[in-house]
Amino acid sequence: MKSPFPKARLLEILEASHQATRAFIEKEGEKILSLVTTTWECFVRGGKLLIFGNGGSAADAQHLAAELVNRFRRERSPLPALALTTDTSILTAIGNDYDFELIFVKQIEALGRPGDIALGISTSGRSANVIRALSRARELDLYTVGLGGGDGGRLPEVCDLVLLVPSNETPRIQEGHLLFLHLFAELLEEACFGETA
């Protein structure tokens, strides 16, 4: 069956994605490089990276943790990263016994230590459980990072560093986030273990 869409439609979407991701790197590139250095220093001190978000952002949290704990482009030792989105017993217990807005807060309280990094991912910057967790992480002296889009929502209120894809369209923001995950993993791997041959 012939598609009702011309190939030009695919290229139109690709171009919109390319423009958003390029603008993201041009706008936030220096901050991304700074975060790589900050994370490397955190790991050298024995700290860890705690990552969280909802829906597609939960998948991004798990994706990044997997790239760091396992490997990205080279064989090397695991890096200490943990997605707070994966333990269904913890998530459902907290959501049931307390409130869904606390599912990340309580994990930050249990696992976070001063000097660790808390990376909250929210395309809108308004996810209540992400904002509350970042706020609590800051109170506990973790370095707080928000990955979002558009105007950032409430992320600037609770984060030491905010990375925003300059778009208001969720798919374009998420594509920027995926690019960030791979850039961050690759550069962090190089910072920790040297450049690949």
Side-chain angles (χ1 to χ4, degrees):
M1 182 172 145
K2 185 175 170 64
S3 171
F5 299 105
K7 184 178 178 182
R9 180 66 183 124
L10 295 175
L11 296 174
E12 181 182 325
I13 295 170
L14 176 63
E15 181 59 25
S17 177
H18 175 72
Q19 288 179 7
T21 53
R22 183 174 186 87
F24 173 48
I25 299 307
E26 289 175 348
K27 176 177 174 281
E28 306 286 43
E30 291 300 321
K31 289 196 278 186
I32 293 170
L33 295 173
S34 172
L35 179 59
V36 170
T37 300
T38 299
T39 307
W40 172 71
E41 291 171 345
C42 169
F43 290 171
V44 168
R45 293 191 308 268
K48 59 190 169 296
L49 175 63
L50 303 173
I51 320 159
F52 48 95
N54 299 290
S57 298
D60 286 341
Q62 292 163 216
H63 182 164
L64 181 56
E67 302 289 20
L68 298 181
V69 171
N70 184 34
R71 67 186 299 276
F72 190 68
R73 296 193 63 197
R74 61 183 295 175
E75 295 299 329
R76 40 82 173 171
S77 302
L79 293 170
L82 180 65
L84 304 184
T85 56
T86 59
D87 191 322
T88 55
S89 294
I90 288 175
L91 297 173
T92 56
I94 296 169
N96 182 62
D97 295 348
Y98 295 93
D99 191 293
F100 186 73
E101 289 188 13
L102 297 178
I103 62 170
F104 303 133
V105 168
K106 290 180 77 72
Q107 292 186 79
I108 290 287
E109 291 174 340
L111 302 170
R113 298 293 177 266
D116 287 349
I117 298 173
L119 171 56
I121 308 173
S122 172
T123 56
S124 69
R126 293 173 177 81
S127 300
N129 56 6
V130 172
I131 297 302
R132 287 187 67 168
L134 287 166
S135 178
R136 184 62 177 137
R138 194 180 235 184
E139 291 171 356
L140 295 171
D141 292 324
L142 280 73
Y143 185 75
T144 54
V145 181
L147 181 60
D151 65 3
R154 296 187 58 203
L155 292 174
E157 300 171 21
V158 294
C159 291
D160 298 303
L161 180 72
V162 180
L163 302 168
L164 301 176
V165 178
S167 174
N168 293 312
E169 296 182 29
T170 298
R172 305 295 83 86
I173 295 169
Q174 291 177 327
E175 288 153 7
H177 289 180
L178 178 59
L179 177 61
F180 163 79
L181 302 184
H182 284 174
L183 288 172
F184 180 71
E186 183 161 349
L187 293 173
L188 186 58
E189 196 171 70
E190 291 178 7
C192 293
F193 301 101
E195 293 187 18
T196 55

